[in-house]
């Protein structure tokens, strides 16, 4: 009987260990994956519950400056309208790990702004101390989020949410710059809604890092990768992302006048609004051209001022033979003029031509029909014929004639 009783006790002890998941303070080295996964669940719950003490209990007590940075990060997060927040482990950790790095996936949603979940990946360092696991800091090269870049100023516009990372006075005193960005973003949302219509959030989230280098960090690029670029959207072109962010390069944005800032934010807001209606079948000349058409359409004036590089090319006898290809929107070394600027100018005037010679409604219908196509091969020719009654060759020739007339 004693032997049977011993077996029963051993089985019960094993069952309890399985049910508990091995994630408590008694975890052994072999439980690293489960323990860190549980640590991330605790960290997620602390953010959702607004529990700073619980959040800091997940941070390595010996991490020094990182611990203070995490205190700031938590307070930044606590100021956001979070509807959801979850961290998940994307890796399997070494069996005998005591200190390791792992990929972590963040999924979150901003209430009132996101129509779906935003996602971000980070690589974090974890350490085991006295049978407990902690977050010890970001691994080298890990991309930060805006709340990781110092105090976060939060400005709520009528249709916008502006997050200023690392700005003086944040979060209590956001400053005139961020309020002006919010006002421009609000107007952009109104202009885009009037042009595009349809179902979209009619809200935009704008990130304003403290510097161009900080912008590069957010986007996983070098400190000068976005030199001269006033703003970008985080969603890839033709990617159906439900939670785009507009990221402003403060150094380039600040060189613009009021009208230039409005045009930039309107252009990027178009990408946010139209993302769900864009697909791999949509050519960049249409998605970029439509964004510029919306941004410029309320401004009066000579189109040569809106597309100066292309106007110079046309004046020099370099009239484009074909609509801009997708690759033309990527900066390349060498060649005459500024090919990227010329591509954007050509795309804008292609969209403008459709609005002028057909109608603005036909332009919107063309965009939506391109995005609904199964592939690029099924889109351009058939959609042009169905929506405008012309094939690619005739459309291109009409566009070239339009360029000569408008820019000549």
């Amino acid at each position: 009987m004693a032997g049977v009783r011993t077996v029963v006790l051993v089985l019960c002890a094993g069952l309890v260990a399985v049910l508990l998941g091995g994630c408590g303070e008694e975890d052994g080295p072999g439980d690293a994956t489960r323990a860190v996964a549980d640590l991330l669940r605790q960290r997620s719950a602390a953010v959702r519950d607004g529990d700073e003490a619980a959040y800091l209990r997940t941070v390595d007590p010996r991490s020094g400056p990182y611990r203070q940075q995490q205190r700031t990060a938590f307070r930044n997060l606590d100021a956001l309208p979070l509807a959801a927040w979850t961290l998940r482990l994307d890796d399997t950790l070494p069996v005998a790990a005591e200190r390791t790095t792992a990929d972590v996936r963040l999924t979150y949603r901003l209430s009132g702004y996101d129509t779906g979940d935003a996602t971000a990946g980070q690589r974090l360092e974890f350490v085991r101390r006295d049978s407990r696991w902690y977050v010890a800091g970001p691994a080298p090269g890990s991309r930060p989020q805006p709340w990781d870049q110092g105090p976060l100023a939060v400005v709520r516009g009528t249709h916008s949410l502006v997050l200023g990372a690392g700005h003086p006075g944040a979060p209590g005193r956001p400053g005139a710059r961020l309020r002006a960005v919010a006002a421009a973003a609000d107007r952009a949302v109104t202009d885009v809604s009037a042009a595009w219509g349809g179902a979209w959030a009619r809200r935009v989230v704008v990130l304003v890092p403290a510097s161009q280098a900080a912008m590069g960090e957010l986007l996983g690029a070098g400190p000068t990768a976005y030199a001269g670029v006033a703003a970008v959207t985080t969603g890839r072109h033709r990617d159906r992302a439900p939670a785009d962010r507009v990221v402003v390069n403060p150094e380039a944005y600040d060189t613009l006048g009021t009208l230039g800032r409005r045009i930039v934010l309107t252009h990027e807001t178009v990408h946010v609004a139209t993302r769900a209606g864009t697909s791999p079948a949509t050519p960049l000349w249409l998605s970029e051209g439509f964004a510029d058409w919306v941004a410029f359409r309320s401004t009066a004036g000579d189109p040569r001022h809106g597309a100066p590089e292309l106007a110079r090319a046309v004046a020099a006898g370099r009239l484009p033979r074909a609509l801009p290809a997708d690759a033309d929107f990527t900066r390349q070394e060498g060649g005459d003029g500024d090919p990227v600027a010329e591509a954007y100018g050509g795309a804008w005037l292609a969209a403008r031509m459709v609005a002028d010679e057909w109608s603005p409604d036909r332009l919107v219908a063309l965009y939506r029909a391109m995005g609904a196509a199964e592939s690029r091969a099924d889109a351009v020719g058939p959609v042009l014929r169905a929506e405008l009654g012309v094939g690619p060759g005739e459309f291109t020739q009409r566009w070239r004639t339009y360029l000569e007339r408008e820019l000549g």
Side-chain angles (χ1 to χ4, degrees):
M1 294 293 292
V4 173
R5 181 173 182 273
T6 300
V7 171
V8 171
L9 289 174
V10 169
L11 290 173
C12 289
L15 178 60
V16 169
V18 170
L19 292 174
L20 292 177
C23 297
E25 296 187 5
E26 301 303 320
D27 288 336
D31 298 311
T33 298
R34 285 182 294 174
V36 170
D38 186 62
L39 173 72
L40 294 175
R41 284 191 290 270
Q42 294 171 28
R43 193 173 173 86
S44 300
V47 171
R48 292 193 299 265
D49 296 342
D51 190 336
E52 182 176 332
Y55 184 83
L56 292 177
R57 283 197 294 271
T58 69
V59 180
D60 180 12
R62 303 182 198 174
S63 59
Y66 177 67
R67 188 173 179 83
Q68 182 55 45
Q69 185 271 338
Q70 285 293 281
R71 188 186 302 275
T72 300
F74 176 86
R75 292 175 181 177
N76 291 339
L77 291 170
D78 203 39
L80 296 179
L82 292 175
W85 179 277
T86 302
L87 292 166
R88 289 188 175 88
L89 185 64
D90 272 357
D91 269 348
T92 299
L93 304 186
V95 172
E98 293 288 335
R99 190 179 193 99
T100 188
T101 59
D103 289 324
V104 172
R105 176 63 51 182
L106 166 64
T107 302
Y108 73 100
R109 188 180 303 178
L110 297 177
S111 179
Y113 299 93
D114 293 336
T115 58
D117 289 336
T119 61
Q122 284 189 302
R123 190 160 183 83
L124 299 180
E125 185 171 358
F126 300 91
V127 63
R128 187 173 186 263
R129 301 190 189 281
D130 301 325
S131 301
R132 293 192 56 155
W133 282 92
Y134 301 94
V135 181
S142 180
R143 287 169 60 173
Q145 293 298 309
W147 44 85
D148 298 321
Q149 293 188 313
L152 189 72
V154 179
V155 178
R156 290 174 172 82
T158 305
H159 307 292
S160 63
L161 182 70
V162 178
L163 309 180
H167 285 256
R173 298 182 298 279
R177 172 200 270 177
L178 298 183
R179 290 194 296 271
V181 170
D186 285 345
R187 181 165 183 174
V189 169
T190 299
D191 289 347
V192 172
S193 296
W196 177 245
W200 72 289
R202 298 175 187 261
R203 298 284 188 277
V204 64
V205 179
V206 184
L207 311 181
V208 187
S211 66
Q212 178 179 282
M215 177 190 187
E217 289 180 355
L218 285 178
L219 298 173
T224 61
Y226 292 94
V229 178
V232 298
T233 47
T234 55
R236 296 184 299 275
H237 290 300
R238 306 182 308 282
D239 180 18
R240 296 176 185 269
D244 272 351
R245 306 288 183 252
V246 175
V247 187
V248 168
N249 176 356
E251 294 170 24
Y253 185 83
D254 286 352
T255 66
L256 302 175
T258 301
L259 179 60
R261 295 172 184 177
R262 175 186 169 190
I263 288 171
V264 163
L265 286 181
T266 303
H267 177 106
E268 300 305 331
T269 302
V270 170
H271 289 315
V272 175
T274 63
R275 192 72 74 197
T278 314
S279 77
T282 311
L284 281 185
W285 67 259
L286 182 55
S287 61
E288 294 299 341
F290 182 78
D292 268 350
W293 174 75
V294 176
F296 280 105
R297 75 174 190 149
S298 63
T299 66
D302 191 330
R304 287 174 293 188
H305 297 155
E309 296 84 359
L310 183 58
R312 284 193 288 270
V314 171
R318 292 188 288 110
L319 180 69
R321 294 185 177 274
L323 290 159
D326 287 4
D328 294 335
F329 294 89
T330 302
R331 193 166 299 282
Q332 300 173 359
E333 299 298 328
D336 296 328
D338 186 340
V340 174
E342 291 174 22
Y344 274 94
W348 168 48
L349 290 172
R352 187 174 182 265
M353 178 189 75
V354 174
D356 286 352
E357 298 190 358
W358 281 270
S359 72
D361 287 345
R362 281 294 90 203
L363 175 59
V364 172
L366 178 69
Y367 195 115
R368 293 186 186 278
M370 287 282 191
E374 292 295 327
S375 68
R376 183 70 63 87
D378 296 330
V380 179
V383 171
L384 283 173
R385 292 186 184 93
E387 298 298 330
L388 304 182
V390 298
E394 183 179 348
F395 182 84
T396 300
Q397 186 54 50
R398 288 182 66 157
W399 169 70
R400 296 181 77 231
T401 301
Y402 187 82
L403 293 184
E404 288 185 301
R405 183 173 73 246
E406 296 296 314
L407 301 179

